[in-house]
């Protein structure tokens, strides 16, 4: 099976796998303008914290390329505007803001012409992408070290998609699962379908099928029952932003999963790169939670499922308190949430 790369730089354009079409259609979308990249992030053609970071980094380069001025000051001022449009796309995943800041910093630090800055920006976007791939592979290796010795072949449950599609490739939570599979330690993956956008059913399950990893999709409300039946040995999820105290924001439903994992004494791990840790936030209370369109709730496919006159609340993420997290698997090592600060 060919590796899955959700963001590819090719012939002076970015190619994105359109994640809104999977698993029924594998479609590539060409992006040559930064405003189209902003739209692709907003509409979730590309999604998942690290993948959003990589996409935004290329978006910064595309935006830089569109600035005609050769005057450094004017160029940097317009680049700030590009950064602001990209920042407005999604509020929770910190990798977006992290990647944009890194791109801006390198632009300010580069001595030379505007063309020199543009070249460095492209190289930096490519570097961010390369580093994320290596980081995910390191997370996968570190994840192997925390797998319980018994049973020999584990059943691991995951929520949402924290796989190759959500990163530069390989994945964080699904990276751990991939590594476990390669090492012969995995029996099966349970993938929560992940209402309302169904990233588990549509994306995680698709990734597993590509690699012939046995996968069982369950609806989100079945996880507690499966744990009670002893079907789940371990839970691994990704994260969109982790506060300094180890509280972790991830796809809505993750918090509930952590609560039921505690109840059933199932180890609950978060796998994430250090670029997902926001050391400026003391606790998860300070994380902005994105609210998305109510149609994600009242519509299934093209069919409306609720009566007119119903109200909706559609938070896209929740925050799992550090106390419910067994460990955070990073590219450096796995730490207890309260030790996260030592990796700053
Ligand atoms: O709304 P999404 O699909 O962007 O949310 C994605 C998640 O919550 C992932 O679990 C998280 O970004 C980790 S990705 C490695």
């Amino acid at each position: 099976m060919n590796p899955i790369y959700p963001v590819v730089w090719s012939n002076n354009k970015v190619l994105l796998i359109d994640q809104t079409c999977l698993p029924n259609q594998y479609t590539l979308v060409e992006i040559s303008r930064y405003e189209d990249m902003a739209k692709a992030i907003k509409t979730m053609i590309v999604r998942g914290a690290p993948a959003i970071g990589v996409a935004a980094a290329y978006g910064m380069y595309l935006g830089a390329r569109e600035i005609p001025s050769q005057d450094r000051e004017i160029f940097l001022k317009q680049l700030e505007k590009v950064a602001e449009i990209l920042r407005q796309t999604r509020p929770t995943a910190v990798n977006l803001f992290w990647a944009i800041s890194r791109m801006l910093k390198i632009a300010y630090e580069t001595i030379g012409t505007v063309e020199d800055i543009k070249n460095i920006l492209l190289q930096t976007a490519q570097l961010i992408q390369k580093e994320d791939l290596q980081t995910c592979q390191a997370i996968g290796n570190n994840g192997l070290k925390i797998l319980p010795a018994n049973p020999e072949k584990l059943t691991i449950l995951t929520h949402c998609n924290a796989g190759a599609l959500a990163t530069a490739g390989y994945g964080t939570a699904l990276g751990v699962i991939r590594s476990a599979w390669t090492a012969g330690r995995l029996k099966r993956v349970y993938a929560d379908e992940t209402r309302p956008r169904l990233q588990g059913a549509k994306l995680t399950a698709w990734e597993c099928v590509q690699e012939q990893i046995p996968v069982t999709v369950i609806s989100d409300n079945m996880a507690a029952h499966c744990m009670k039946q002893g079907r789940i040995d371990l839970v691994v999820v990704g994260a969109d932003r982790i506060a300094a105290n180890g509280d972790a924001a991830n796809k809505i439903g993750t918090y509930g999963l952590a609560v039921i994992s505690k109840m059933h004494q199932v180890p609950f791990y978060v796998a994430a790169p250090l670029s997902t840790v926001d050391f400026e936030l003391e606790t998860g209370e300070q994380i902005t939670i994105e609210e998305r369109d109510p149609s994600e709730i009242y519509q299934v496919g093209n069919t409306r499922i609720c009566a007119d006159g119903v109200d909706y609340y559609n938070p896209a993420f929740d925050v799992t308190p550090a106390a419910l997290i067994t460990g955070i698997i990073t590219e450096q090592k796995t730490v207890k949430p309260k030790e996260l600060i030592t990796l700053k």
Side-chain angles (χ1 to χ4, degrees):
M1 139 81 203
N2 290 328
I4 299 163
Y5 298 124
V7 183
V8 173
W9 177 251
S10 171
N11 290 327
N12 286 321
K13 302 190 247 309
V14 180
L15 300 178
L16 299 176
I17 298 177
D18 188 341
Q19 299 190 35
T20 64
C21 296
L22 287 171
N24 299 325
Q25 270 180 316
Y26 182 93
T27 312
L28 295 177
V29 178
E30 284 186 11
I31 307 278
S32 334
R33 305 194 63 137
Y34 87 93
E35 279 177 324
D36 292 333
M37 184 61 90
K39 202 166 157 199
I41 296 171
K42 217 179 168 79
T43 58
M44 295 174 67
I45 285 175
V46 59
R47 34 65 53 207
I52 291 172
V54 172
Y58 280 113
M60 284 291 287
Y61 168 66
L62 296 177
R65 194 170 73 171
E66 290 171 50
I67 301 170
S69 176
Q70 294 303 314
D71 179 284
R72 182 188 168 86
E73 294 312 309
I74 296 172
F75 171 82
L76 289 172
K77 220 170 166 179
Q78 290 187 359
L79 193 63
E80 292 277 4
K81 284 190 189 153
V82 171
E84 196 42 38
I85 301 274
L86 289 165
R87 279 193 205 103
Q88 294 302 321
T89 51
R90 297 194 70 190
T92 305
V94 75
N95 305 63
L96 173 79
F97 305 93
W98 171 86
I100 293 169
S101 299
R102 185 164 161 187
M103 294 292 281
L104 273 179
K105 187 164 180 280
I106 198 82
Y108 277 97
E109 284 173 359
T110 301
I111 302 161
T113 64
V114 163
E115 286 314 307
D116 293 333
I117 302 177
K118 288 180 185 175
N119 289 336
I120 291 283
L121 283 172
L122 176 57
Q123 286 165 25
T124 307
Q126 289 171 316
L127 186 63
I128 287 173
Q129 183 171 27
K130 191 171 150 207
E131 285 172 359
D132 187 68
L133 194 55
Q134 290 166 347
T135 294
C136 286
Q137 277 152 353
I139 289 172
N141 288 337
N142 288 339
L144 281 184
K145 299 177 198 153
I146 59 85
L147 298 179
N150 286 308
E152 197 199 326
K153 287 194 186 281
L154 300 157
T155 299
I156 304 182
L157 185 145
T158 189
H159 189 70
C160 193
N161 173 264
L165 290 166
T167 58
Y170 204 71
T172 55
L174 207 50
V176 173
I177 289 169
R178 278 199 162 87
S179 296
W181 176 248
T182 309
R185 294 294 323 277
L186 184 75
K187 184 172 163 197
R188 173 167 293 275
V189 177
Y190 270 64
D192 273 354
E193 68 171 349
T194 319
R195 274 282 286 158
R197 296 286 299 221
L198 304 173
Q199 290 93 331
K202 291 184 172 176
L203 306 178
T204 298
W206 178 78
E207 283 197 35
C208 288
V209 168
Q210 301 313 301
E211 295 193 23
Q212 296 174 346
I213 298 175
V215 58
T216 300
V217 175
I218 54 170
S219 65
D220 302 338
N221 49 4
M222 295 173 187
H225 179 70
C226 292
M227 284 184 193
K228 196 171 174 206
Q229 289 184 319
R231 287 172 185 259
I232 311 296
D233 299 307
L234 185 80
V235 175
V236 187
V237 296
D240 289 84
R241 192 184 293 233
I242 305 176
N245 72 341
D247 291 348
N250 191 48
K251 181 53 57 195
I252 191 75
T254 304
Y255 172 35
L257 199 55
V259 171
I260 58 172
S261 299
K262 185 98 177 169
M263 168 79 187
H264 296 94
Q265 293 168 349
V266 173
F268 181 93
Y269 283 91
V270 171
L274 289 169
S275 57
T276 299
V277 183
D278 187 346
F279 286 108
E280 288 183 8
L281 302 187
E282 279 174 37
T283 78
E285 294 292 307
Q286 295 159 284
I287 299 174
T288 305
I289 300 293
E290 175 182 13
E291 281 186 41
R292 295 190 63 87
D293 196 88
S295 62
E296 292 183 353
I297 306 282
Y298 69 64
Q299 221 164 280
V300 172
N302 292 325
T303 309
R304 194 182 174 108
I305 56 165
C306 300
D308 284 343
V310 174
D311 291 332
Y312 303 96
Y313 176 46
N314 186 18
F317 301 95
D318 58 26
V319 177
T320 300
L324 296 178
I325 299 171
T326 312
I328 300 176
I329 307 165
T330 76
E331 64 271 35
Q332 279 190 28
K333 57 179 176 173
T334 301
V335 289
K336 297 239 172 289
K338 62 172 189 278
E339 297 160 359
L340 187 62
I341 197 76
T342 62
L343 303 184
K344 188 173 174 182

